[in-house]
């Protein structure tokens, strides 16, 4: 017999999303159709005395975003099996072709229209509700106080059409839970409203609060970004691999296909790690607002991310070898449920540390990191020198790596569990590892500590992570503690 | 706020009271070991014995020797498992060669799961598993008495609610 019990109070814990086929709103059937305004808004007659829930539709260009999918399938099939494709094409007569188009295009159009028509979203006091599906109904209720980040992204084509995607990151959301597409103005207004509601503004005022004022903390100049990419080993490594490996293969096999099959992925990797990174990290701007951190970036596809206060689980300061003489660092962050992990692609150390102090209030990069005992060289030759550790009031900081140094900082309040592990060889030398697990699925490890020290660290860290919560800001960050 | 010290034990809240697993778990594991060793011994004895000559049937000794070693290792492993409920967190300690000690504050618990397979049920055992928001948290306690498992589950749920802290 299997039984599952939730160790959480009603409506508490991570699952910030409830799914079901019905949306549970009373009076769903008696929608006030008389009040259908011009933009397809509908008012749900909810509980009397409460403001009605306004259901809205996405932007009318939405159906077009899947228009390329059938074409891509056809193209993929043609490339995969060129001979069969040619045979099939030769057998098609003009009438067949016309007939096919006459059936397929309206069918696809109808499907697109219906899927758009049956997709609604609504913002209530506590939730964002997305109702979708023609045959299989799906309703997602995303709880606003559980929001980890709000992303507005504008891919190149969407920018041309003047529309944007909005996505709320809650632990457990997937691609289906993004609102694609909204008009840009609407996306911005909706983001402001969602953040205002999530911040704990009164429901009546939440729509009028508007965008929180932001001030720019840091902007990465394109020249510095380009230089940093030139100084990255991975860029050169992938470029060299893309040039050398296919050449060698050609010399040995003289088979065009082998060369192509290996060269294309290698060239793709090289492009992604140089040009691709430049394009996505172009005009990287980090700003601060009462609603949290804003990250705006991108040359072709623009992305705007907002991370509310107290959502950052881990921050990493990465120092590649070649950047060190210029004093540059890269700052990465982990937010539960969010894809983006870069906070600052490149910045001088002092600037990056200033940004970090705003991200983790009260924390600073620890100055003195304690090294591991000398005997650790028997467990991890050479690289043992890279492992360092510091525990300060607000953070647990562990460094690793010799050439590319990574310093990971975890606020004590974000620690989910602490583990101590020790293998037989480590026991022989009286060493142990301490792992600190965070909610973003990342584990920060202080390796090769003295066994006695590790034991104390385990006990103390458990205590610190328990008490660290007391000073943490509330989930609804604009409400009083 | 409730202090959460263990009721009825009289132990101070900061002194962990270690509990061990049920002997039934060792019996189940040894039973499984014996069954598998038997299967492998028959296979290792019969096949070379039939195809290469009767002397090769001695290959059957190999799985048996392995099983004899594992028989003792299982006991050491079983002995190494222990857990303690402290005032604010759960401690789990396990492993002989590869030791691991886990501390999970009650407030971080998202889900407590009690499972019991058919073989476990036959021997009166249940497994309690704790989930936090971190996927790496591996807090599983196998081989508990079902009543103890239910008690632990209820207690963890209660303490988790009292100290709930989310992400």
């Amino acid at each position: 017999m299997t039984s599952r019990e939730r160790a959480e109070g009603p409506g508490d814990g991570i699952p910030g999303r409830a799914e079901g086929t019905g949306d549970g709103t009373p009076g769903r059937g008696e929608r006030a159709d008389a009040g259908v305004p011009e933009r397809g808004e509908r008012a749900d007659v909810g509980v009397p005395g409460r403001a009605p829930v306004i259901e809205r539709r996405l932007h009318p260009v939405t159906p077009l975003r899947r228009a390329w999918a059938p074409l891509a399938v056809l193209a993929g099939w043609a490339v995969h099996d060129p001979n069969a494709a040619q045979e099939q094409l030769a057998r098609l007569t003009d009438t067949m072709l016309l007939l096919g188009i006459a059936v397929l295009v309206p069918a696809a159009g109808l499907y697109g229209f219906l899927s758009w028509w049956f997709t609604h979203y609504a913002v209530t006091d506590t939730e964002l509700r997305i109702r979708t599906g023609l045959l299989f109904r799906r309703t997602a209720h995303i709880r606003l106080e559980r929001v980890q980040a709000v992303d507005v992204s504008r891919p190149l084509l969407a920018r041309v059409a003047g529309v944007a995607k909005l996505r709320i990151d809650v632990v457990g959301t997937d691609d289906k839970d993004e609102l694609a597409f909204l008009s840009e103005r609407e996306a911005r207004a909706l983001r402001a409203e969602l953040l205002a509601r999530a911040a704990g503004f009164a429901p009546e005022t939440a729509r009028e609060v508007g965008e929180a004022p932001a001030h720019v903390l840091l902007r990465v100049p394109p020249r510095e970004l380009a230089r940093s990419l030139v100084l990255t080993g991975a860029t050169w490594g992938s470029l060299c691999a893309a040039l050398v490996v296919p050449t060698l293969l050609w010399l040995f096999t003289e088979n065009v296909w082998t060369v192509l099959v290996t060269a294309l992925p290698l060239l793709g990797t090289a492009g992604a790690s140089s040009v691709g990174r430049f394009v996505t990290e172009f005009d990287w701007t980090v700003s601060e607002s009462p609603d949290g951190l804003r990250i705006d970036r991108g040359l072709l596809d623009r992305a705007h991310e907002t991370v509310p206060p107290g959502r950052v689980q881990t921050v990493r300061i990465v120092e590649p070898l070649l950047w060190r003489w210029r004093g540059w660092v890269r700052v990465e962050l982990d937010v539960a449920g969010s894809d983006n992990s870069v906070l600052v692609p490149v910045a001088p150390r002092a600037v990056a540390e200033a940004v970090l102090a705003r991200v983790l209030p009260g924390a600073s990069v620890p100055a003195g990191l304690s090294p591991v005992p000398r005997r650790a060289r028997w467990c991890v030759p050479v690289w043992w020198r890279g492992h360092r550790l510091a525990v300060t009031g607000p953070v647990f900081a562990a460094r690793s790596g010799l050439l590319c140094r990574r310093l990971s900082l975890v606020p004590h309040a974000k620690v989910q569990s602490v583990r101590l592990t020790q293998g037989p060889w480590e026991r022989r030398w009286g060493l142990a590892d301490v792992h600190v697990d965070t909610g973003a699925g990342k584990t920060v490890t202080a390796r090769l500590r003295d066994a006695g020290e590790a034991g104390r660290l385990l006990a103390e860290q458990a205590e610190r992570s328990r008490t660290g919560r007391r000073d943490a800001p509330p989930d609804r960050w604009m409400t009083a503690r | 706020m409730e202090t959460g010290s263990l009721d009825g034990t009289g132990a101070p809240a900061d002194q962990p009271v270690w509990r061990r697993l049920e002997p039934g778990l060792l019996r189940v594991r040894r039973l499984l070991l014996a069954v598998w060793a038997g299967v492998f011994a028959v296979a290792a004895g019969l096949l070379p014995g039939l195809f290469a000559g009767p002397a090769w049937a001695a290959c059957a000794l190999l799985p048996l020797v392995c099983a004899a070693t594992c028989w003792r290792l299982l006991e050491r492993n079983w002995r190494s498992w222990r857990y303690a409920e402290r005032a604010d967190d759960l401690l789990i300690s396990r492993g002989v060669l590869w030791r691991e000690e886990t501390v999970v504050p009650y407030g971080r618990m998202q889900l407590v799961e009690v499972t019991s397979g058919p073989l476990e049920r036959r021997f009166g055992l249940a497994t309690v598993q704790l989930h936090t928001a971190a996927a790496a948290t591996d807090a599983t306690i196998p081989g508990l008495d079902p009543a103890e498992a239910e008690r632990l589950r209820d207690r963890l749920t209660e303490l988790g609610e009292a100290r709930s802290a989310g992400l």
Side-chain angles (χ1 to χ4, degrees):
Chain A
M1 179 171 47
T2 305
S3 70
R4 271 174 177 264
E5 294 285 337
R6 289 201 174 273
E8 54 191 45
D12 212 341
I14 34 167
R17 194 188 55 171
E19 263 181 44
T21 43
D23 62 3
T25 315
R28 203 182 128 203
E30 29 177 335
R31 218 170 268 125
D33 271 358
V36 180
E38 62 277 32
R39 267 169 58 243
E41 296 195 347
R42 283 186 178 188
D44 234 336
V45 180
V47 182
R50 235 193 242 174
V53 176
I54 310 274
E55 287 210 322
R56 285 176 266 182
R57 285 217 178 82
L58 300 173
H59 196 273
V61 305
T62 306
L64 292 178
R65 77 183 171 130
R66 293 207 188 87
W68 57 268
L71 294 179
V73 169
L74 274 181
W77 170 66
V79 168
H80 173 74
D81 199 355
N83 297 333
Q86 201 145 24
E87 267 175 40
Q88 293 287 333
L89 272 181
R91 274 200 295 166
L92 280 179
T93 57
D94 288 350
T95 28
M96 285 278 285
L97 214 60
L98 279 177
L99 210 69
I101 288 173
V103 171
L104 276 181
V105 171
L110 189 70
Y111 170 76
F113 172 77
L114 286 177
S115 69
W116 170 75
W117 185 256
F118 283 99
T119 303
H120 293 91
Y121 70 92
V123 185
T124 70
D125 293 352
T126 52
E127 289 170 338
L128 169 68
R129 297 181 183 169
I130 304 171
R131 199 155 58 81
T132 182
L134 174 58
L135 291 177
F136 298 92
R137 309 304 300 273
R138 177 172 188 276
T139 310
H141 289 203
I142 300 170
R143 305 230 352 239
L144 291 180
E145 82 262 27
R146 294 282 168 206
V147 58
Q148 301 291 325
V150 181
D151 311 329
V152 171
S153 58
R154 299 183 294 153
L156 185 60
L157 284 176
R159 278 172 81 184
V160 173
V163 293
K165 285 196 255 200
L166 186 136
R167 179 187 160 133
I168 290 208
D169 291 321
V170 177
V171 176
T173 47
D174 49 24
D175 287 343
K176 280 184 267 179
D177 300 319
E178 66 180 15
L179 293 173
F181 286 93
L182 301 165
S183 75
E184 274 179 24
R185 193 179 49 79
E186 211 178 340
R188 197 155 297 166
L190 184 64
R191 177 177 68 176
E193 185 187 343
L194 290 173
L195 284 168
R197 286 188 193 274
F201 278 104
E204 319 66 80
T205 55
R207 280 202 87 158
E208 284 81 48
V209 167
E211 199 96 320
H215 86 268
V216 175
L217 289 179
L218 166 133
R219 175 168 266 143
V220 180
R223 178 193 266 270
E224 197 168 314
L225 181 63
R227 276 194 193 153
S228 76
L229 287 175
V230 169
L231 286 179
T232 306
T235 316
W236 293 108
S238 56
L239 271 178
C240 286
L243 292 178
V244 171
V245 172
T247 319
L248 284 179
L249 273 177
W250 175 249
L251 288 179
F252 282 110
T253 62
E254 302 209 345
N255 183 338
V256 186
W257 284 106
T258 331
V259 174
L260 269 184
V261 162
T262 48
L264 284 179
L266 283 172
L267 279 175
T269 323
S273 70
S274 52
V275 181
R277 256 179 70 180
F278 183 78
V279 168
T280 47
E281 296 179 354
F282 184 82
D283 191 26
W284 193 288
T285 312
V286 181
S287 2
E288 195 191 30
S289 78
D291 278 343
L293 216 60
R294 290 255 153 88
I295 300 171
D296 304 286
R297 66 189 155 98
L299 178 65
L300 304 175
D301 301 355
R302 292 288 291 173
H304 313 269
E305 192 177 3
T306 309
V307 181
R311 263 60 171 182
V312 175
Q313 306 273 341
T314 329
V315 178
R316 267 186 313 282
I317 298 181
V318 186
E319 284 178 283
L321 180 66
L322 294 176
W323 290 16
R324 236 176 282 164
W325 63 276
R326 300 217 55 148
W328 284 344
V329 295
R330 177 183 174 86
V331 185
E332 299 177 347
L333 88 173
D334 294 314
V335 173
S338 171
D339 299 331
N340 176 37
S341 66
V342 181
L343 174 62
V344 179
V346 58
R349 203 182 166 94
V351 177
E353 285 183 8
V355 172
L356 193 137
R358 312 307 287 251
V359 178
L360 301 178
S364 60
V365 179
L369 295 160
S370 76
V372 298
R374 230 186 121 63
R375 57 183 190 277
R377 67 183 189 275
W378 299 110
C379 288
V380 180
V382 185
W383 304 94
W384 65 274
R385 286 172 189 279
H387 294 285
R388 303 268 162 116
L389 169 78
V391 182
T392 63
V395 291
F396 179 92
R399 203 186 83 182
S400 68
L402 200 57
L403 297 178
C404 180
R405 287 185 194 150
R406 289 161 197 281
L407 175 69
S408 308
L409 302 145
V410 190
H412 296 314
K414 297 296 178 192
V415 174
Q416 298 284 335
S417 63
V418 193
R419 289 176 294 137
L420 180 147
T421 57
Q422 189 182 42
W425 188 245
E426 278 179 322
R427 174 121 29 100
R428 161 77 181 73
W429 296 101
L431 299 167
D433 301 340
V434 177
H435 309 262
V436 166
D437 304 317
T438 69
K442 288 281 161 62
T443 298
V444 173
T445 306
R447 287 212 62 197
L448 306 171
R449 307 309 301 179
D450 177 74
E453 185 201 345
R456 278 195 303 281
L457 208 60
L458 179 77
E460 288 167 12
Q461 191 56 41
E463 177 69 18
R464 271 192 294 264
S465 61
R466 190 173 60 75
T467 52
R469 265 281 150 178
R470 288 189 194 137
D471 310 324
D475 267 357
R476 293 177 171 277
W477 58 96
M478 292 303 267
T479 52
R481 198 167 290 175
Chain B
M1 197 168 156
E2 178 207 4
T3 55
S5 61
L6 287 172
D7 308 317
T9 52
D14 54 340
Q15 273 300 320
V17 182
W18 291 102
R19 288 164 188 265
R20 296 191 172 280
L21 305 186
E22 292 288 313
L25 182 71
L26 184 61
R27 281 204 294 277
V28 172
R29 288 186 172 167
R30 281 184 166 166
L31 180 73
L32 282 175
L33 177 73
V35 169
W36 282 108
V39 169
F40 277 108
V42 168
L46 270 185
L47 292 178
L50 285 178
F51 292 109
W56 288 92
C59 285
L61 284 177
L62 198 68
L64 292 180
V65 171
C66 285
T69 324
C70 288
W71 188 268
R72 288 173 50 209
L73 289 184
L74 276 180
E75 188 182 345
R76 282 175 67 190
N77 180 274
W78 172 77
R79 256 181 219 295
S80 74
W81 276 85
R82 51 186 195 160
Y83 67 96
E85 300 158 70
R86 287 199 304 190
D88 296 290
D89 41 33
L90 182 79
L91 296 180
I92 301 171
S93 171
R94 63 163 188 270
V96 181
L97 280 182
W98 277 271
R99 270 189 52 216
E100 182 160 352
E101 226 171 286
T102 308
V103 185
V104 187
Y106 295 132
R108 300 301 200 280
M109 251 171 320
Q110 299 286 343
L111 185 77
V112 185
E113 207 177 328
V114 180
T115 55
S116 178
L119 194 66
E120 278 183 301
R121 270 209 304 282
R122 174 71 187 75
F123 282 81
L125 296 172
T127 302
V128 170
Q129 191 171 4
L130 267 73
H131 298 269
T132 69
T137 306
D138 177 24
T140 310
I141 314 176
L144 293 172
D145 181 58
E148 162 72 1
E150 303 231 325
R151 184 198 67 80
L152 195 62
R153 180 196 67 193
D154 291 344
R155 187 177 151 74
L156 293 176
T157 313
E158 179 192 322
L159 289 170
E161 253 169 53
R163 292 163 177 70
S164 174
L167 277 179

